Amino acid sequence: MSEQLPAAYVHADTVDKAVELVSADAETRVVAGGYSLLPQVKDGIETPDRLVDVSRIDELRGISHEAGETCIGALTTHHQIATFDLVHEHVPALAEAADSVGDYQARQQGTIAGNLVFADPKYDPPAAFLALDGRVVARSPDGERTIGADEWFCGPGETALGPDEIVTDVVVPDAKRSGYVRTSEYSGYAIVGTAAALDVDGDAVASARVAVNGVKPFPIRLPNVEDELVGKHIDDELRSRAASAELSDINLETLLMNGVVADHQRLQLVRTYCRQAIERAIEGD
Ligand SMILES: Cc1cc2nc3c(=O)[nH]c(=O)nc-3n(C[C@H](O)[C@H](O)[C@H](O)COP(=O)(O)OP(=O)(O)OC[C@H]3O[C@@H](n4cnc5c(N)ncnc54)[C@H](O)[C@@H]3O)c2cc1C
């Protein structure tokens, strides 16, 4: 086994040290829980010269809530997110996505940053992060910057994170009316997962974000579904519209027209789970 592992494995005790190490060498990779990266190294898909283990950096831990936003340290595990009252209260979609991570061990060891950086289309938190309009806080030798969810996912397994940057936090604005639902295959991973977040002014939907994973190599928003929701009153009519296929029909056609990598069966799942995520968001608060 050892010949597949990189020559150097070092622990960084501070973010500054980790930044220094990753920015010194393009072939250095950060490792947190190791649940996504280490199998790739073992299989020779990733061949870094050096791994920088950030799992002992205390400043990357913790969840706090201030000024209408939940700030989650990069090393926070899915289990911690799924079981933290503040997250359930302010951003239920994120708690539900974390709780959806299929295996107990992966929930215990896998981190939010590792999940979002690896950006696998089968993963759950990315769709919730996108629907919740979250942002990643990253540090490099040039300082700190934030990257919004709409800019974060660039391609299959690709994000806007630079090679010399370390994720320090993931920040999500309050969205009490939000939800995440998914269907799983035998492996435990999602076939399709959908997240919805509604901002309500009075009893009308002021803005809506709906995102789906599993139909493209990275999560996407469903703008036509969002448009259908905005301006509508939260009443029985909207509940029944959300409960009917009508709400997502237009968007499914758009997906097909845009050549999205998805078959009809998968799109049917999008329709079903999209509807459920919207219903969950409507019922929130
Ligand atoms: C058996 C199994 C089942 C799973 N089931 C699910 C599931 O159902 N749903 C789901 O969503 N996920 C699932 N996962 C994936 C799991 O959620 C991820 O493996 C985990 O969250 C990745 O986090 P990590 O800390 O282990 O990342 P690592 O493997 O340590 O790193 C992953 C990537 O992120 C980078 N990285 C990590 N931390 C930082 C940082 N702070 N700054 C910059 N870059 C960083 C690494 O360099 C690497 O590129 C499963 C995994 C396993 C092994």
Side-chain angles (χ1 to χ4, degrees):
M1 173 173 151
S2 57
E3 62 274 359
Q4 270 112 353
L5 291 177
Y9 189 103
V10 290
H11 282 274
D13 292 328
T14 63
V15 174
D16 286 344
K17 185 66 187 171
V19 167
E20 183 191 317
L21 289 167
V22 295
S23 57
D25 170 17
E27 296 307 316
T28 291
R29 295 285 179 276
V30 170
V31 61
Y35 262 58
S36 293
L37 182 62
L38 294 185
Q40 294 231 313
V41 173
K42 178 81 175 77
D43 290 346
I45 299 164
E46 282 269 5
T47 53
D49 291 341
R50 177 168 62 178
L51 290 176
V52 175
D53 188 327
V54 295
S55 65
R56 296 178 184 168
I57 303 180
D58 286 339
E59 61 188 297
L60 295 179
R61 296 183 191 285
I63 303 176
S64 60
H65 183 266
E66 201 179 332
E69 295 187 324
T70 302
C71 181
I72 301 168
L75 283 178
T76 309
T77 64
H78 304 304
H79 174 76
Q80 289 164 333
I81 293 170
T83 55
F84 206 82
D85 287 347
L86 271 179
V87 184
H88 276 280
E89 186 185 338
H90 298 290
V91 273
L94 195 66
E96 289 161 11
D99 200 35
S100 300
V101 171
D103 287 67
Y104 179 78
Q105 294 90 333
R107 285 198 298 281
Q108 294 289 330
Q109 294 295 322
T111 65
I112 179 78
N115 189 287
L116 294 181
V117 172
F118 202 75
D120 190 294
K122 299 189 296 300
Y123 286 1
D124 298 285
F129 173 69
L130 185 57
L132 290 165
D133 198 14
R135 61 186 192 274
V136 162
V137 183
R139 208 184 299 170
S140 75
D142 298 329
E144 194 169 275
R145 72 169 177 137
T146 60
I147 308 161
D150 286 328
E151 286 77 51
W152 179 253
F153 302 103
C154 302
E158 283 175 28
T159 71
L161 190 74
D164 60 350
E165 289 182 307
I166 299 280
V167 176
T168 57
D169 296 286
V170 175
V171 182
V172 275
D174 286 357
K176 292 185 179 183
R177 289 187 188 269
S178 66
Y180 176 81
V181 288
R182 54 105 96 170
T183 179
S184 56
E185 54 180 316
Y186 67 93
S187 69
Y189 286 98
I191 300 172
V192 159
T194 57
L198 307 180
D199 183 23
V200 175
D201 186 9
D203 66 347
V205 178
S207 66
R209 290 175 66 102
V210 179
V212 56
N213 60 24
V215 293
K216 253 197 159 181
F218 47 90
I220 54 167
R221 285 174 63 191
L222 303 178
N224 290 345
V225 175
E226 294 171 355
D227 289 349
E228 279 289 322
L229 292 164
V230 173
K232 302 287 188 320
H233 288 274
I234 303 248
D235 53 17
D236 287 345
E237 194 190 331
L238 184 62
R239 284 186 180 83
S240 63
R241 275 177 77 87
S244 76
E246 189 185 351
L247 197 64
S248 40
D249 266 348
I250 310 161
N251 198 262
L252 293 182
E253 281 167 20
T254 313
L255 285 174
L256 284 171
M257 281 185 333
N258 288 346
V260 166
V261 185
D263 55 32
H264 277 277
Q265 227 172 356
R266 197 172 280 247
L267 290 183
Q268 193 57 42
L269 289 173
V270 172
R271 173 180 290 161
T272 303
Y273 284 87
C274 184
R275 199 166 61 219
Q276 289 182 15
I278 292 166
E279 281 171 350
R280 199 178 283 248
I282 287 174
E283 300 312 327
D285 210 12

